[in-house]
């Protein structure tokens, strides 16, 4: 899953990016509102973490413009501790949730997981397809009860497939949700990672979950 973080305090921004990457998210950073708005309008993020007090455009202006432009990506707003009016205005402008600074990183992660659940029928912290189970807080993956060890990139690729089970995913879809802004589209890295994943998730099992859709991309189905 790919996250945009818009935060002008560079230390806080890089702390959040590093922490989210350790949790297997692909993360892009913007340090002011206009850049944040541009990135949010031109990329497919799964979540936007948006500070309210930003140079050039405030977080509230950014979320208003995004919603006016039809961008429905869930937004988690970061606000100052005592600013009730920011929180009220933020929620009224189209933010989905907020977190007051300073916050515990675990709470940020839990709120991100909650926002990712909102658009789906899946209300549990586990994702399941057939006998495959992904436990989101611990990143533990099992198939038919057997542990499957995945690297962070393999995990986030599998998570994207499982969240979109039954859908045909193009390489562009996959790049946009699993890799960050620095992804080089002139490589075959996606196919390479899908092979890694197949070796771990499908190879030793009779029933295959990941399927190639010739000329289009890939799909994961039960
Ligand atoms: Ca700020």
């Amino acid at each position: 899953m790919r996250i945009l973080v818009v935060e002008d305090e560079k230390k806080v921004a890089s702390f959040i990016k590093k922490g989210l990457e350790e949790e297997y998210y692909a993360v892009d950073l913007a340090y002011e509102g206009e850049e944040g708005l541009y990135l949010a309008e031109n990329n497919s993020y799964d979540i936007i973490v948006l500070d309210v007090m930003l140079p050039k455009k405030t977080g509230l202006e950014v979320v208003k413009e995004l919603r006016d432009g039809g961008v429905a990506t869930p937004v988690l707003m970061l606000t100052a501790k005592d600013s009730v009016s920011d929180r009220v205005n933020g929620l009224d402008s189209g933010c989905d949730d907020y977190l007051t600074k300073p916050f515990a990183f675990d709470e940020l992660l839990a709120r991100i997981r909650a926002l990712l659940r909102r658009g789906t029928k899946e209300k549990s912290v586990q994702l399941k397809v057939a006998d495959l189970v992904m436990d989101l807080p611990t990143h533990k993956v099992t198939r038919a009860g057997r542990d499957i060890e995945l690297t962070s990139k393999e995990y986030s690729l599998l998570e994207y497939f499982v969240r979109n089970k039954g859908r045909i995913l193009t390489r562009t879809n996959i790049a946009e949700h699993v890799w960050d802004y620095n992804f080089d589209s002139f490589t075959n890295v996606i196919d390479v990672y899908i092979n890694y994943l197949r070796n771990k998730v499908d190879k030793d099992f009779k029933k295959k979950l990941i399927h190639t859709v010739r000329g289009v991309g890939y799909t994961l189905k039960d």
Side-chain angles (χ1 to χ4, degrees):
M1 301 284 106
R2 185 175 177 193
I3 300 179
L4 172 65
V5 176
V6 192
E7 163 64 81
D8 57 313
E9 287 168 68
K10 296 212 165 156
K11 259 189 167 169
V12 179
S14 50
F15 167 76
I16 295 175
K17 179 175 162 74
K18 188 167 170 280
L20 291 176
E21 285 174 345
E22 283 169 359
E23 296 293 323
Y24 308 168
Y25 294 106
V27 182
D28 291 334
L29 278 186
Y31 298 114
E32 38 90 353
E34 276 179 9
E35 189 193 4
L37 181 64
Y38 176 83
L39 288 175
E41 284 174 336
N42 291 285
N43 295 289
S44 304
Y45 294 104
D46 298 290
I47 299 274
I48 299 168
V49 176
L50 181 66
D51 189 29
V52 171
M53 298 291 285
L54 289 170
K56 298 200 182 174
K57 259 184 209 308
T58 69
L60 296 181
E61 290 170 324
V62 171
V63 78
K64 258 191 204 130
E65 289 188 40
L66 282 178
R67 297 307 185 234
D68 288 349
V71 176
T73 311
V75 173
L76 174 64
M77 161 179 66
L78 304 178
T79 70
K81 200 172 181 190
D82 297 317
S83 186
V84 176
S85 66
D86 275 357
R87 300 203 287 271
V88 171
N89 290 334
L91 293 169
D92 283 344
S93 305
C95 287
D96 298 273
D97 196 6
Y98 65 83
L99 197 54
T100 56
K101 289 177 169 180
F103 52 82
F105 202 76
D106 280 346
E107 185 173 3
L108 176 70
L109 293 175
R111 286 181 186 272
I112 286 172
R113 287 193 295 269
L115 285 175
L116 288 172
R117 281 200 297 274
R118 282 210 191 159
T120 64
K121 276 182 256 162
E122 192 62 69
K123 296 301 173 201
S124 129
V125 293
Q126 292 189 332
L127 300 175
K128 291 177 190 165
V129 176
D131 54 0
L132 176 82
V133 180
M134 300 185 81
D135 187 69
L136 299 171
T138 62
H139 302 137
K140 196 173 142 76
V141 178
T142 60
R143 190 154 181 204
R146 273 163 60 183
D147 284 347
I148 295 176
E149 299 290 336
L150 299 177
T151 64
S152 63
K153 209 37 120 186
E154 291 162 357
Y155 179 96
S156 57
L157 184 59
L158 183 62
E159 179 182 358
Y160 181 59
F161 270 116
V162 172
R163 284 187 187 276
N164 292 282
K165 61 187 166 196
R167 262 186 67 194
I168 295 170
L169 303 172
T170 64
R171 287 175 185 78
T172 306
N173 294 146
I174 294 168
E176 283 183 341
H177 290 273
V178 181
W179 271 269
D180 64 23
Y181 203 71
N182 300 311
F183 178 72
D184 178 358
S185 55
F186 297 102
T187 65
N188 64 342
V189 68
I190 291 175
D191 306 278
V192 170
Y193 271 94
I194 285 174
N195 273 334
Y196 292 157
L197 205 52
R198 279 180 154 155
N199 277 331
K200 293 183 178 180
V201 170
D202 275 343
K203 198 177 127 210
D204 297 337
F205 298 88
K206 198 171 165 209
K207 178 177 192 164
K208 309 301 177 198
L209 299 175
I210 300 166
H211 304 268
T212 303
V213 183
R214 204 165 287 279
V216 186
Y218 297 96
T219 188
L220 178 142
K221 57 187 180 193
D222 190 345

